[in-house]
Amino acid sequence: GGVRLNMIPRDGGNRFSGSAYVGGSDGAWQSDNFTTRLRNMGVTAVSAVNSIWDYNVTAGGPLVKDRLWFHFSARKWGNDLPVTDSYYDDGRQYGLWGEMVALVPRVTWQATARNKFTAHIERLGKYTGPKLDCCATFPALIHPHQRGADPETATTWKTGERPYGVWYVKWSSPLTSRI
């Protein structure tokens, strides 16, 4: 066979509950692979992890007991990654930066014993960078031994203004207790 995944979205329930998660790293646990061999090949800096982060909160409960429930989650996660042999004009190592922000509200209504309605919205805003402090210089300033394009002229900043997402309304009505 194969792997079977069964996902059941949270409706909220008749009891208020929630959870939170905070996690991250400043990159201190990462090993360094900047070897003498790489240095002899002309590499001046290697890729790494400056930081990673993940924050998440969920909450749910009744709006009307046994009839109407809500569930809401919010999450923000991302990373900051220096890029091998790429530098800003001021000499700092260039770093890719990216972050996602997700907001997911859900409302469930048990209209009758056999009819249940759910409204779900999932909105994901993606931010990528770097967000440059000012303006790129022209022509691009390439540092000695730098490979590839100048990061200030070759990258773009994306904001979460045009989010990704899923929006739906679902009606469930079982024919019998078995179907």
Side-chain angles (χ1 to χ4, degrees):
V3 175
R4 184 174 172 197
L5 179 66
N6 186 10
M7 292 178 50
I8 300 171
R10 296 180 179 184
D11 286 337
N14 278 326
R15 186 175 59 108
F16 285 104
S17 64
S19 64
Y21 171 79
V22 175
S25 173
D26 63 1
W29 291 79
Q30 182 179 1
S31 65
D32 183 2
N33 68 347
F34 194 28
T35 62
T36 304
R37 180 173 175 262
L38 288 174
R39 212 174 270 110
N40 291 341
M41 293 172 59
V43 176
T44 58
V46 294
S47 298
V49 173
N50 276 350
S51 62
I52 55 175
W53 57 91
D54 191 348
Y55 316 115
N56 182 332
V57 64
T58 64
L63 294 171
V64 177
K65 188 176 180 183
D66 296 327
R67 287 298 229 193
L68 185 65
W69 307 275
F70 79 95
H71 187 269
F72 178 79
S73 68
R75 183 178 180 201
K76 181 178 182 178
W77 70 102
N79 56 43
D80 180 13
L81 310 170
V83 177
T84 299
D85 272 350
S86 291
Y87 301 92
Y88 292 105
D89 290 346
D90 65 7
R92 291 177 295 136
Q93 188 175 5
Y94 164 71
L96 287 175
W97 181 87
E99 183 170 78
M100 295 283 286
V101 176
L103 301 174
V104 184
R106 182 181 181 89
V107 175
T108 303
W109 174 40
Q110 187 75 49
T112 67
R114 295 178 95 177
N115 292 289
K116 184 187 219 181
F117 296 89
T118 301
H120 175 94
I121 299 172
E122 190 168 337
R123 181 185 165 116
L124 299 169
K126 184 176 185 177
Y127 300 79
T128 59
K131 183 175 184 181
L132 302 173
D133 297 330
C134 180
C135 308
T137 57
F138 294 96
L141 176 62
I142 305 296
H143 289 270
H145 306 295
Q146 180 169 326
R147 291 166 171 73
D150 175 52
E152 293 179 82
T153 57
T155 61
T156 59
W157 169 248
K158 178 171 176 30
T159 65
E161 294 167 357
R162 299 183 69 192
Y164 307 91
V166 174
W167 300 264
Y168 68 83
V169 174
K170 182 174 97 174
W171 169 38
S172 302
S173 184
L175 299 175
T176 69
S177 62
R178 303 185 113 210
I179 300 176

